[in-house]
Amino acid sequence: MSKTRVIEIEPITRVEGHGKVTIHLDDHNNVREARLHVVEFRGFERFICGRPYWEVPVIVQRLCGICPVSHHLAASKAMDMVVGAKRLTPTAEKIRRLMHYGQIMQSHVLHFFHLCSPDLLFGFGSAPESRNVLGIIEKMPELAVQAVMMRKFGQEIIKATAGKKIHGTGSVPGGVSKNLSIEERDVFLRDIDQMKKWVRSALDIAKKYTLENLDAVRAFATFNSSHLSLVREDGALDLYNGNLRAIDAGGNIIFDQVDSRQYNDYIMEEVKSWSYMKFPFIKSRGHIDGWYRVGPLSRMNTCGFIDTPEAGKALQEFKSLTNGNPNHMTLAYHWSRMIETLHCVENIEKLLNDPDLQGTDLLVRGDRAEEGIGVIEAPRGTLFHHFKVNENDQVTFCNLIVSTTNNNEAMNRAIRNVAQEHISVKPKITEGMLNHVEVAVRSYDPCLSCATHAIGKMPMEIEMYGPEGNLVDRKGQYL
Amino acid sequence: MDKIIIRIDGAEIKGKPGQTIMQAADDAGIHIPRLCDVEGLEPQGSCRVCTVKVNGRTAASCTQPVADGMEVENDTLEIRNYRRDLVRMLFHEGNHLCPCCEASGRCELQNLAYQLGILQPDKYPYLQPVRPVDASHPDVMLDTNRCIRCGRCIRASIQLDHKNVFGYIGRGINKQVGVNGKNLAQTNVDIHDKAVALGTCPVGCIIQKRAGFFDPIGKRRFDLHPAGTKVEDS
Ligand code: SF4
Ligand code: SF4
Ligand code: FES
């Protein structure tokens, strides 16, 4: 019987619990499997039961410290269904969209500048001591200031629409609780051109990096996969609302224009004993081959076009790199993220100029339903919220598929891929291995990285066990 | 005697016969914090948040009648510390998750905590009691996780609605508000009752269904008019 060595890479998050990577080697030091273990607050799905449904969009934000707005909106969409609000008023829908674009903007900017730009600008083989946001502040202070201002812009939009930068309450079942006043609007209009300029140049950095280092990008954690996201009825990118589309690695449609409320008929979840995260897969393809990726890269692959002019052009460029075929490069997530950021800023501008934002018709009601499903494209990918509510208005059932969970298998693949490259036949743990695994995981911007956002470091520990389970090597960074 | 002069923290104010210290202070524009007392209901004197020192001895200002020559201490470090501890204990005894609570921004307990400079009640261990939620009634919900046993609902039901919907059950630390019936749906409570009107329950325990979070942040009761005058120093 062949024995398996286990190498453990443990990124210890300081805020939201604890994740670790284990890499399983066989007798010949080949990587057999790589697993990212994330401890999620799974108790939530039980905790929410018994609570009144109108509390859910507010309470559910406690799930996540970095994209609470996505949860706020996904839950609101689910509860729209419960209160029978088939179609929101134009003001409500537009206020929610504005909130969402502000959220994606600030989240993408945070990820790009704090987490990924040090890797891109300094090279991810460079010394970890300066390969972080502090290095950026020191070497490129202007860029750092822009990042702070762009993030602030997004956060102020959240505050103006949700009431607070985190844990706002602006979106309620059936609509919103406030519109945007002229005074609030004018503050944003004043800065919008500047934002567009800065986002353009950030997009440029991401694009240039990808094109100039194409061989390295292609070689780094690239693997074929299916992709899934919401798209608009005409196939356009739509981050707030739409129907589900899944494509295979070759770009062929697996399913399209599926009403997201029927997600259960198309997506199943597998539970594995070693992880708290569930493993969703596309039903028709089975649990072995049915895994898929979500998030910015997947959205670039699934959507036919982007309906805002500058991001639309940027998408065409992006797609031409792979001749219109799906792009499978893990590092292309960064470029995708910046295209989306530009799309958000363009949309924010369009919305700010729309008088509907000052409308006063905020709420609709219809026939009460017992079940609500809300799906949204969160910064990290498709986010599913599913609730059942009894006749006393209490939640009796809750199922959530969060974006990071959708990318579960993909992150494992990325780690395996990188591990194979860097540690096979080398039973010793190297700096390079640490760095590369970190960069691979980080590309997906998994929620566990939130603890690292402050300084842009991902604390990690690797433990390597021999065939008998004995510790043979151990290395860590930022511990 | 119809002219009563008392001093609150050294300031001379006039009181009327039959008035409580709190009423006299209110008339003079001096704020004394309170939870179980509310205009329109007989005072009960149970929360002790309105504690003052009268001639050196503690008393509940909502029940203590004024008497000529009283020396009242209200806004002193010692009294503020008493009040802080009382308010902290109310948080620790129940289950209060303010960011998720629809009473946030209009809750008197939360507002009092802000006034007293308690941003994170962490002095005592959280008891995390298991408390029931009664959602049986079509319009009104009772979430006893947030009840502070101020008795305002009980008094309002009896004194204003001439019903007897609410009452206490249990004793000591287990004492909590309950209803006279199997559950709320089995009582004769009505959405128009004063006992369940907005503002009777000072916290988010009695809530009107399906109306939560309609008031945007910035427009809620205490966003607009924070009660009291200042955030006191610790
Ligand atoms: S009742 Fe008041 S103190 Fe309690 S959670 Fe709600 S807002 Fe906070
Ligand atoms: S339900 Fe509200 S009003 Fe009644 S005792 Fe509890 S806190 Fe006071
Ligand atoms: S307000 Fe006086 S004891 Fe409660």
Side-chain angles (χ1 to χ4, degrees), chain A residues 51 54-55 365 392-393, chain B residues 102 143 146 209-210 214:
Chain A
R51 300 310 307 168
W54 54 90
E55 209 176 72
R365 284 279 179 279
N392 288 337
D393 299 324
Chain B
E102 63 184 276
D143 181 351
R146 303 164 183 158
K209 280 187 167 184
R210 300 175 292 278
F214 282 2

Side-chain angles (χ1 to χ4, degrees), chain B residues 188-221:
Chain B
N188 60 345
V189 78
D190 183 273
I191 183 75
H192 304 294
D193 285 354
K194 296 278 192 318
V196 298
L198 206 65
T200 296
C201 178
V203 290
C205 178
I206 297 175
I207 52 181
Q208 301 198 352
K209 280 187 167 184
R210 300 175 292 278
F213 306 105
F214 282 2
D215 286 337
I217 294 170
K219 296 267 165 63
R220 302 166 308 184
R221 179 179 169 197

Side-chain angles (χ1 to χ4, degrees), chain A residues 283-295:
Chain A
K283 236 181 190 172
S284 64
R285 297 172 67 95
H287 73 281
I288 307 276
D289 299 320
W291 64 280
Y292 53 87
R293 282 190 266 187
V294 299

Side-chain angles (χ1 to χ4, degrees), chain A residues 3-280:
Chain A
K3 292 173 188 134
T4 306
R5 294 164 190 268
V6 180
I7 296 177
E8 291 197 344
I9 300 179
E10 205 159 340
I12 298 153
T13 67
R14 285 174 189 147
V15 177
E16 299 230 304
H18 180 121
K20 74 175 179 188
V21 172
T22 54
I23 295 167
H24 303 257
L25 303 181
D26 65 14
D27 269 349
H28 310 288
N29 293 324
N30 290 319
V31 177
R32 280 190 7 164
E33 202 174 2
R35 295 163 171 179
L36 173 67
H37 305 245
V38 178
V39 179
E40 280 192 337
F41 183 29
R42 304 284 307 145
F44 185 84
E45 290 175 354
R46 275 197 306 277
F47 169 75
I48 196 83
C49 286
R51 300 310 307 168
Y53 72 76
W54 54 90
E55 209 176 72
V56 175
V58 177
I59 222 170
V60 78
Q61 299 178 86
R62 297 191 71 82
L63 266 174
C64 174
I66 22 177
C67 57
V69 172
S70 308
H71 287 290
H72 186 47
L73 292 174
S76 298
K77 287 177 77 174
M79 294 313 168
D80 290 345
M81 232 173 119
V82 168
V83 301
K86 289 211 169 58
R87 194 181 195 93
L88 298 187
T89 68
T91 303
E93 155 127 11
K94 286 171 186 175
I95 289 282
R96 282 197 194 170
R97 279 185 181 270
L98 183 63
M99 194 191 300
H100 190 46
Y101 295 133
Q103 148 80 0
I104 293 187
M105 177 182 174
Q106 73 90 18
S107 173
H108 278 4
V109 164
L110 178 71
H111 180 269
F112 185 73
F113 285 96
H114 285 236
L115 289 179
C116 106
S117 74
D119 294 339
L120 301 194
L121 296 169
F122 301 144
F124 42 78
S126 67
E129 298 79 60
S130 58
R131 187 170 48 85
N132 56 46
V133 74
L134 300 177
I136 294 279
I137 292 169
E138 198 193 330
K139 302 226 170 68
M140 303 171 196
E142 251 171 63
L143 200 63
V145 170
Q146 288 176 16
V148 170
M149 299 302 285
M150 280 193 271
R151 178 143 190 257
K152 185 158 187 290
F153 185 84
Q155 285 178 321
E156 289 299 333
I157 289 203
I158 295 172
K159 189 174 169 204
T161 48
K164 284 202 285 182
K165 286 180 193 162
I166 49 160
H167 294 142
T169 60
S171 181
V172 294
V176 294
S177 67
K178 77 180 284 281
N179 63 10
L180 193 77
S181 70
I182 297 277
E183 298 74 45
E184 287 167 323
R185 181 200 68 183
D186 288 349
V187 174
F188 297 123
L189 275 177
R190 203 188 56 209
D191 292 337
I192 191 80
D193 284 335
Q194 184 65 71
M195 293 303 141
K196 263 167 60 181
K197 235 163 86 191
W198 286 343
V199 174
R200 276 184 211 121
S201 71
L203 170 61
D204 228 46
I205 294 174
K207 181 175 83 183
K208 263 216 193 102
Y209 173 83
T210 315
L211 297 178
E212 283 169 10
N213 300 278
L214 201 51
D215 289 342
V217 170
R218 276 215 176 97
F220 186 88
T222 295
F223 50 89
N224 283 358
S225 75
S226 304
H227 295 273
L228 175 127
S229 81
L230 295 176
V231 292
R232 210 165 66 184
E233 269 166 30
D234 58 1
L237 175 76
D238 193 333
L239 299 167
Y240 174 74
N241 207 9
N243 296 318
L244 290 167
R245 173 184 281 178
I247 58 167
D248 67 15
N252 307 303
I253 297 280
I254 302 174
F255 54 73
D256 196 10
Q257 297 305 329
V258 167
D259 184 338
S260 58
R261 289 168 295 188
Q262 257 124 43
Y263 82 97
N264 249 338
D265 297 339
Y266 293 83
I267 292 165
M268 277 180 81
E269 291 171 277
E270 193 187 3
V271 177
K272 296 192 182 178
S273 59
W274 51 268
S275 178
Y276 284 91
M277 277 212 283
K278 292 176 285 191
F279 283 73

